[in-house]
Amino acid sequence: MQIREMEVIPVAHREPPLRNSWGAHSEVAARTIVRLTTADGEVGVGETYGDERVIDALERAAGLVEGMNPFARKPLELRLQDPMAYGAVDTALVDLLGRHLGEPAYNVLGGKVRDEVAFSGYLFYKYADSDPDSASVAPYEVDSAESMVEEAREFVGEHGFRTLKVKGGVLDPDEELRTLELLAEEFGRDVPLRIDPNGTWSVETATRIARRLREMDLRVQFLEDPVPTMHAHARLKRNVDYPIATNMFVTEFDQIAPAVELDAVDVILSDHHYWGGMTGNLRLDDAARTLDLGVGMHSNSHLGVSMAAMAHVAAAMPTVRYACDTHYPWMAEDVIEGGPLAFEDGCIALSDEPGLGVELDESELARMRERYHETDPLAYSSVSSMAAEYADAETEVGRAAWLPNKPRW
Ligand code: MG
């Protein structure tokens, strides 16, 4: 069995101006689809970030992937030395092998430990969508605790999420605290809550907020990256009794040991787009279980191929006991046939079809690929475009003068 062709297909999709500590998501964002085709015409598909750096790395990787046996992934991982590029290829290899063997992706990964995967309702403060008709949910501005509750009602009503996560680091920490309080009043004080300020709080601010949350007796599952650095988290953990989760200061295997030695983390957020792809996330799961760490799942804006991959890999990771994160419900369009995949009671039921169980919609793929090539690449969702949005919307200073200097509060 031999791979004949690896296609790297950038696509642009619309998404809402969701806010975070860097600014706001661009309303036209990029993703990359990777498609492998064997000499016999069998196909495997992956999806990853759409930054130019990732696209360049994937295009360089094609020379190593074409001609390889799809079962022989370890030599490829060693040759690539690029976790992001490898992650996309690994996903396409798992899909390809599943289709070839007639087995769902979770069986290629060793079998599932759950039949459905729970996701959190990922709530954002946001600007109003410039084109409300293209929004899948909540096209209005969300800039207060009250409007966040309205957004959450729509989200929970439509998708049934049973865990709520707030992207913080946007409003004053006390307003974000009030948001959690109102969400608990609306959905019940036993609803699991999380907040992710992306390192914008000082240790002192995070300590004060965490103590207030404890006094209010809210069911906060963990605080995600509340402060900016690994050492700041170690210092914070001496002050608070909520678990600390991260997708910012432990993002590769070499960072696990120092974080454990410092006692800076309780929950590592996995992500098959890096961490060695879908197969590498199984190693993360084993490492975390050995070290008595929890595992959740990080998300960035993504389409249906990644949604399917996230569900399959989460189902194959025993240590994933937290509802996973996903931006998927915010996306109003998709590259998969019959998309988007539907949530039921906040869960994605696993497909038993071979591979990831999704097929590319060729006409949607062509349309979104054309948009990528027609649109100014600077408009894509990236830290630099977010910084530009932030400077425009939040401050009087020019783009060049704005610095993402953390902690902010
Ligand atoms: Mg995070």
Side-chain angles (χ1 to χ4, degrees):
M1 199 179 180
Q2 193 179 54
I3 293 172
R4 176 172 52 79
E5 184 184 21
M6 171 171 154
E7 294 168 87
V8 179
I9 310 168
V11 294
H13 65 97
R14 296 192 59 79
E15 64 174 85
L18 307 174
R19 295 178 65 184
N20 60 30
S21 66
W22 288 277
H25 286 220
S26 168
E27 289 193 81
V28 182
R31 295 290 285 175
T32 309
I33 302 298
V34 170
R35 178 162 54 193
L36 307 178
T37 307
T38 68
D40 296 331
E42 293 181 287
V43 169
V45 177
E47 176 192 332
T48 189
Y49 290 67
D51 310 57
E52 283 178 30
R53 191 203 71 76
V54 176
I55 294 168
D56 288 348
L58 284 167
E59 284 174 345
R60 281 197 305 276
L64 295 172
V65 174
E66 290 171 357
M68 73 174 272
N69 178 334
F71 286 92
R73 60 178 167 245
K74 185 54 76 177
L76 176 73
E77 185 177 10
L78 293 173
R79 286 195 183 105
L80 275 183
Q81 293 287 313
D82 186 319
M84 191 74 83
Y86 180 74
V89 177
D90 185 273
T91 303
L93 289 173
V94 168
D95 184 40
L96 173 61
L97 294 178
R99 291 173 192 242
H100 175 72
L101 298 166
E103 292 287 340
Y106 60 73
N107 275 345
V108 177
L109 299 173
K112 61 183 177 180
V113 295
R114 47 187 74 86
D115 292 326
E116 58 180 20
V117 176
F119 287 84
S120 63
Y122 201 163
L123 305 172
F124 287 81
Y125 303 106
K126 63 185 288 291
Y127 299 118
D129 290 56
S130 59
D131 176 12
D133 294 337
S134 72
S136 66
V137 66
Y140 43 83
E141 182 168 22
V142 176
D143 60 352
S144 66
E146 284 77 9
S147 50
M148 182 71 91
V149 170
E150 187 182 341
E151 174 187 299
R153 271 192 219 115
E154 272 197 53
F155 238 65
V156 172
E158 187 150 342
H159 304 292
F161 296 115
R162 290 168 286 185
T163 299
L164 298 177
K165 167 173 171 173
V166 172
K167 174 59 80 181
V170 175
L171 305 182
D172 185 278
D174 285 292
E175 181 66 5
E176 296 188 352
L177 174 77
R178 204 169 69 82
T179 299
L180 295 178
E181 189 178 15
L182 291 198
L183 287 170
E185 281 177 16
E186 174 74 19
F187 295 99
R189 298 187 82 77
D190 59 343
V191 67
L193 298 170
R194 308 173 192 161
I195 185 160
D196 176 11
N198 282 122
T200 51
W201 296 350
S202 66
V203 170
E204 291 71 22
T205 298
T207 301
R208 179 175 68 77
I209 296 292
R211 287 179 181 165
R212 283 288 299 132
L213 289 167
R214 186 58 81 192
E215 283 165 15
M216 291 192 282
D217 199 25
L218 300 189
R219 189 176 165 198
V220 176
Q221 280 190 315
F222 51 67
L223 301 172
E224 181 176 331
D225 290 309
V227 292
T229 66
M230 193 184 291
H231 279 81
H233 282 93
R235 208 151 69 78
L236 177 66
K237 260 173 64 63
R238 290 180 215 131
N239 298 347
V240 304
D241 57 357
Y242 287 119
I244 298 294
T246 185
N247 67 275
M248 291 179 72
F249 67 91
V250 184
T251 59
E252 54 187 81
F253 285 95
D254 273 353
Q255 292 166 338
I256 297 176
V260 169
E261 282 165 13
L262 281 171
D263 192 18
V265 66
D266 301 289
V267 179
I268 295 177
L269 300 176
S270 64
D271 191 325
H272 79 279
H273 299 93
Y274 38 99
W275 284 112
M278 295 178 81
T279 54
N281 273 254
L282 301 178
R283 298 199 299 278
L284 171 61
D285 194 69
D286 284 337
R289 188 145 33 101
T290 303
L291 295 164
D292 192 32
L293 299 171
V295 180
M297 187 176 284
H298 166 251
S299 160
N300 207 321
S301 300
H302 64 87
L303 301 169
V305 177
S306 278
M307 185 73 254
M310 290 157 75
H312 278 276
V313 74
M317 292 167 67
T319 311
V320 174
R321 294 200 181 87
Y322 294 101
C324 300
D325 287 346
T326 177
H327 290 62
Y328 194 56
W330 289 103
M331 305 303 141
E333 55 190 347
D334 209 338
V335 288
I336 60 170
E337 278 180 10
L341 300 172
F343 294 89
E344 185 133 350
D345 292 332
C347 296
I348 294 280
L350 283 168
S351 162
D352 294 322
E353 296 296 312
L356 296 174
V358 295
E359 300 291 340
L360 293 175
D361 181 323
E362 294 299 333
S363 66
E364 284 299 286
L365 185 69
R367 187 179 63 77
M368 291 161 74
R369 178 185 212 165
E370 196 175 313
R371 191 197 283 146
Y372 175 88
H373 290 294
E374 284 176 351
T375 316
D376 176 6
L378 290 176
Y380 297 150
S381 182
S382 66
V383 169
S384 57
S385 71
M386 288 184 189
E389 295 264 359
Y390 189 96
D392 283 354
E394 283 289 289
T395 74
E396 299 293 311
V397 301
R399 294 181 182 197
W402 185 82
L403 291 172
N405 190 8
K406 298 176 179 182
R408 186 175 174 195
W409 289 281

